[in-house]
Amino acid sequence: MHITNLISQYFGKFAKNEFPKVIQKFINACYVKFMGLNMSEFKHSRYYKSLNDLFTRELIIKREIDETVDSIISPTDSLITECGELKEDIALQIKGMQYSVEELLTYYCTSNFEKIKNGSFMNFYLSPKDYHRYHAPCDFKLLKLIHVPGKLYPVNLKYLNKELELFVQNERVILECENNGKIFYMVFVGALNVGQMVFEFENRVETNKDTKEIKVYTYDNIEISKGDCLGYFKMGSTVVMLWEKDSVQIENLLNQNIRFGQKIGNIKI
């Protein structure tokens, strides 16, 4: 097991531990203050029983989302670190740092490689202060989930600028989705201290375990609506979205902080 996975496992044990109330309230308050969390849409920090509970907090004030039929909304609260068009199958993890989409998606997505070439992509970086749940960017049919074990390098800007093919090296969960007959992918990338990625529709996924086996789950009848909660990171990380060529028109949001529910593009109908 790589050292980054071991560090994440130990941090995960600390984060899920429920300390005596007085101590936990102090830990939570310190985390909120140190990281600069905006808790206006959530319960007060004193009500969370562990750091994990705080990290994975649910909204108590319903977030407004763009309900336009052909709109695509942001699945997360995050910073857009890169976006644009693929060059054949090459995407950017950050300016000047490339990686192969085929390597990211693995050979289990081979049948769609030609469709994705010269398509569109967008990278969403969730910092430790962000809301950590991820949602459906549009109505879609879920076709496949692929869990790829790997390392857990940090995915902050410093590491994106120095670690080659970071997204390809790290553990990830890939969702293969279909909207109006067009394919798109959501890739959830693990990171240091993100010991687990949880998916509410698939309890068989167990991340940051001592395994090298890729696991694939296929589905016939899972329909998901725009805005539905898909799951959550246990701390911050990154989501990569990839769309089939000529299927969407994404907005140029490079280096902008965006919120779940905000429009990021349109589906070409």
Side-chain angles (χ1 to χ4, degrees):
M1 182 177 286
H2 194 264
I3 185 64
T4 56
N5 301 75
L6 287 173
I7 292 171
S8 297
Q9 284 191 359
Y10 283 116
F11 181 82
K13 290 178 181 179
F14 169 78
K16 74 179 181 182
N17 188 61
E18 296 183 11
F19 292 94
K21 287 185 178 180
V22 173
I23 297 174
Q24 192 65 59
K25 284 169 65 177
F26 176 75
I27 293 172
N28 292 354
C30 288
Y31 184 82
V32 168
K33 184 175 181 179
F34 181 73
M35 291 296 180
L37 273 65
N38 180 349
M39 298 295 290
S40 62
E41 298 174 296
F42 309 96
K43 294 185 296 185
H44 192 279
S45 65
R46 64 176 173 269
Y47 294 114
Y48 295 98
K49 296 180 180 180
S50 66
L51 265 183
N52 262 350
D53 199 23
L54 176 60
F55 294 154
T56 61
R57 60 195 180 275
E58 293 184 74
L59 292 163
I60 60 170
I61 298 176
K62 187 176 180 181
R63 186 75 63 84
E64 290 186 9
I65 67 173
D66 189 304
E67 298 284 4
T68 310
V69 173
D70 64 345
S71 70
I72 306 166
I73 62 171
S74 174
T76 59
D77 288 6
S78 47
L79 171 69
I80 303 301
T81 55
E82 269 299 345
C83 60
E85 294 184 359
L86 302 174
K87 307 301 181 184
E88 288 290 313
D89 87 314
I90 299 300
L92 296 176
Q93 66 183 34
I94 205 162
K95 186 177 181 180
M97 297 287 276
Q98 301 178 338
Y99 66 92
S100 164
V101 168
E102 292 186 6
E103 291 183 17
L104 181 76
L105 297 180
T106 78
Y107 53 85
Y108 290 102
C109 301
T110 303
S111 61
N112 289 318
F113 284 167
E114 287 301 316
K115 295 179 181 179
I116 295 296
K117 280 185 179 179
N118 298 307
S120 302
F121 77 98
M122 189 173 284
N123 302 342
F124 306 77
Y125 168 64
L126 289 76
S127 74
K129 71 178 181 180
D130 286 321
Y131 167 59
H132 300 129
R133 293 183 176 246
Y134 29 82
H135 298 257
C138 59
D139 296 342
F140 67 86
K141 181 178 181 180
L142 180 62
L143 305 178
K144 187 185 298 182
L145 182 152
I146 305 162
H147 173 211
V148 185
K151 299 172 184 176
L152 289 172
Y153 285 121
V155 293
N156 56 33
L157 297 181
K158 176 182 177 181
Y159 266 81
L160 289 177
N161 274 298
K162 80 172 190 177
E163 190 65 40
L164 292 173
E165 297 191 324
L166 190 156
F167 295 157
V168 174
Q169 293 189 65
N170 271 19
E171 181 171 29
R172 56 201 181 276
V173 173
I174 302 161
L175 300 188
E176 184 176 287
C177 313
E178 181 184 279
N179 172 278
N180 289 332
K182 300 292 186 178
I183 295 294
F184 72 90
Y185 288 93
M186 300 184 74
V187 184
F188 302 84
V189 184
L192 189 69
N193 293 336
V194 185
Q196 289 182 295
M197 293 175 276
V198 174
F199 293 85
E200 296 189 343
F201 55 85
E202 184 53 82
N203 58 19
R204 291 174 291 179
V205 174
E206 293 186 285
T207 56
N208 195 15
K209 298 291 183 180
D210 190 9
T211 180
K212 295 182 179 179
E213 180 185 358
I214 295 177
K215 294 184 178 180
V216 181
Y217 308 95
T218 57
Y219 309 98
D220 294 321
N221 57 359
I222 296 184
E223 300 278 350
I224 297 177
S225 299
K226 182 194 293 186
D228 285 355
C229 183
L230 301 174
Y232 49 87
F233 290 115
K234 292 193 174 179
M235 211 169 173
S237 194
T238 288
V239 178
V240 177
M241 290 198 65
L242 302 158
W243 290 274
E244 184 174 337
K245 182 183 178 182
D246 296 327
S247 64
V248 299
Q249 180 66 52
I250 61 171
E251 298 182 7
N252 182 5
L253 298 169
L254 181 62
N255 296 326
Q256 292 190 35
N257 287 295
I258 61 172
R259 285 160 52 87
F260 152 59
Q262 178 180 335
K263 180 181 173 182
I264 60 170
N266 288 97
I267 299 165
K268 291 183 179 179
I269 299 177

